[in-house]
Amino acid sequence: MTDATQTYSPTATSRAQLRREKMLPVINKAGGWLDALGLGFTVPLMKMAVGENVSEQLDELKRLLLIPLLGIVLFVGAWAALAPQVQTSLGAIPGPAQVWSAAGDLIDDHNRMREKASTFYERQDERNAKLIEAGKADRVKWRTFTGQPTYIDQIFTSLVTVALGFGIATLIAVPLGIASGLSRTVNGAINPLVQIFKPVSPLAWLPIVTMIVSAAYANPLEWLPKALLISAITVTLCSLWPTLINTALGVASVDKDLMNVGRVLQLPTRKTITKLVLPSALPLIFTGLRLSLGVGWMVLIAAEMLAQNPGLGKFVWDEFQNGSSQSLARIMVAVFTIGLIGFMLDRVMFALQRAFTFSANR
């Protein structure tokens, strides 16, 4: 019996060790992506599951999860305790419970509006079907539901707007940054413009953009209304500078020996850029893109608020003007939503950086 036990134990231990050695590379590889998405705290849990040192993994779990959670709990506790002490013209500052309740009300409002839209289209389909059956197809009309945009609708409008503005900024900034990094002449021509326009506030750009778009975009497309285009261009004008500067810096810092090899091989300019310059400069380019996206998201809210264009900024301003007992709580819901969306956008860009560059850091 003793011999059998002694024979079995090393086998079981060996199997566990082999399993751990097989799984650890997979976990470590997945850990980079999980960390990029803000889920790095799951890595210690997976390592404990495959038999890694429990004490070490608990320390890591404490650093990645428990301490951040403690900070959040302390913040929420201080907020709940201090909020009722601050009285405004609309009453006391709402605490966590009131804000949570307001978020639920906004979601309920969205669901009710979607039900109304569904009912509207069902009735329209029934009415048009009856007209067609009666041979009155010429009287068939298709109308779009024109209900008030809900909070969720405003979120999607803001996301579409920032995506359009950020996309235009990227298409402008990356080629200009590459040209500036490769050519001192281009850099000398662009640099003064960057220094002049980079500090300009979106509030200064907005009236100019509004007048130009109103004059030049006389017949707006159905999918691209003037208000959305105005906000998107304002985002573009304020967010392209970090990408331009970081792209130029990344291109200019490419190893000179690498560029000399390209010259020796007589690579055409297009191949030099795609094969040598971009792979080396991508980490800094993505750093610029992350900064630009963050700037664009902040600028968008201010632009929507000032110009009363659809989106989260307009929602905040409307609630401020509304002045109801629920307005403060709804504004705070919007504040947390803006912050969380900004965090998620940054995590998405960081994940793309890890996917397309040889290193997350330069």
Side-chain angles (χ1 to χ4, degrees):
M1 189 72 175
T2 302
D3 293 340
T5 304
Q6 290 174 348
T7 304
Y8 175 80
S9 296
T11 304
T13 303
S14 299
R15 288 177 179 174
Q17 186 175 354
L18 289 172
R19 178 171 170 268
R20 183 167 63 251
E21 291 175 354
K22 182 179 179 180
M23 292 300 298
L24 276 179
V26 177
I27 294 174
N28 289 331
K29 184 176 181 180
W33 292 100
L34 292 170
D35 182 60
L37 297 173
L39 300 173
F41 64 88
T42 59
V43 175
L45 295 174
M46 290 189 288
K47 287 185 176 180
M48 282 192 288
V50 298
E52 278 290 275
N53 186 284
V54 174
S55 177
E56 291 180 2
Q57 300 311 315
L58 286 176
D59 288 341
E60 191 70 8
L61 188 64
K62 176 183 175 182
R63 182 181 67 84
L64 294 174
L65 181 63
L66 297 183
I67 292 178
L69 283 179
L70 178 61
I72 293 173
V73 169
L74 291 174
F75 168 76
V76 172
W79 173 19
L82 298 176
Q85 311 302 321
V86 182
Q87 295 292 327
T88 70
S89 59
L90 300 179
I93 295 292
Q98 292 92 330
V99 172
W100 182 263
S101 176
D105 292 340
L106 289 171
I107 294 174
D108 292 339
D109 291 342
H110 172 77
N111 293 333
R112 282 193 293 269
M113 190 61 69
R114 293 284 70 79
E115 289 176 3
K116 288 182 180 180
S118 178
T119 302
F120 171 83
Y121 287 119
E122 286 177 3
R123 290 177 178 175
Q124 179 174 258
D125 291 341
E126 291 175 3
R127 182 173 61 252
N128 289 336
K130 290 179 181 179
L131 289 172
I132 292 172
E133 289 176 4
K136 301 177 181 179
D138 58 315
R139 296 175 57 184
V140 170
K141 294 182 180 179
W142 301 99
R143 295 185 175 89
T144 303
F145 182 72
T146 56
Q148 187 75 13
T150 66
Y151 182 66
I152 306 299
D153 295 334
Q154 304 277 43
I155 292 175
F156 280 106
T157 299
S158 290
L159 287 172
V160 170
T161 307
V162 79
L164 178 61
F166 175 71
I168 297 172
T170 301
L171 291 176
I172 295 172
V174 172
L176 277 179
I178 292 173
S180 180
L182 290 175
S183 170
R184 291 185 179 180
T185 303
V186 175
N187 183 64
I190 291 177
N191 188 59
L193 300 177
V194 173
Q195 301 307 321
I196 291 171
F197 291 121
K198 181 166 66 71
V200 176
S201 166
L203 304 184
W205 283 118
L206 193 57
I208 300 173
V209 173
T210 301
M211 288 187 289
I212 293 174
V213 171
S214 298
Y217 194 52
N219 299 309
L221 300 172
E222 183 179 352
W223 61 271
L224 187 60
K226 283 185 179 180
L228 189 148
L229 184 60
I230 289 168
S231 296
I233 293 177
T234 305
V235 169
T236 298
L237 290 172
C238 295
S239 65
L240 62 87
W241 312 113
T243 299
L244 196 158
I245 293 169
N246 279 272
T247 300
L249 179 61
V251 172
S253 62
V254 173
D255 193 339
K256 301 304 178 185
D257 292 337
L258 194 62
M259 299 298 293
N260 290 333
V261 169
R263 294 189 186 96
V264 170
L265 295 176
Q266 297 183 346
L267 293 177
T269 303
R270 181 176 61 83
K271 282 196 173 182
T272 299
I273 292 173
T274 56
K275 302 295 184 181
L276 301 180
V277 173
L278 281 180
S280 298
L282 269 181
L284 271 178
I285 292 175
F286 268 103
T287 299
L289 290 173
R290 290 174 64 190
L291 292 172
S292 289
L293 187 55
V295 169
W297 182 242
M298 289 190 293
V299 164
L300 174 65
I301 304 304
E304 289 174 344
M305 189 178 295
L306 182 66
Q308 288 293 280
N309 293 336
L312 281 172
K314 185 177 186 299
F315 172 84
V316 171
W317 184 254
D318 288 345
E319 287 298 332
F320 175 71
Q321 294 293 322
N322 183 25
S324 70
S325 58
Q326 290 293 314
S327 291
L328 272 178
R330 291 182 173 222
I331 290 172
M332 294 188 74
V333 171
V335 168
F336 283 109
T337 302
I338 292 166
L340 288 172
I341 291 176
F343 169 75
M344 288 189 290
L345 290 175
D346 181 73
R347 292 293 90 188
V348 169
M349 288 302 302
F350 186 46
L352 290 174
Q353 179 177 345
R354 294 190 68 95
F356 290 103
T357 61
F358 56 86
S359 173
N361 302 306
R362 189 177 178 84

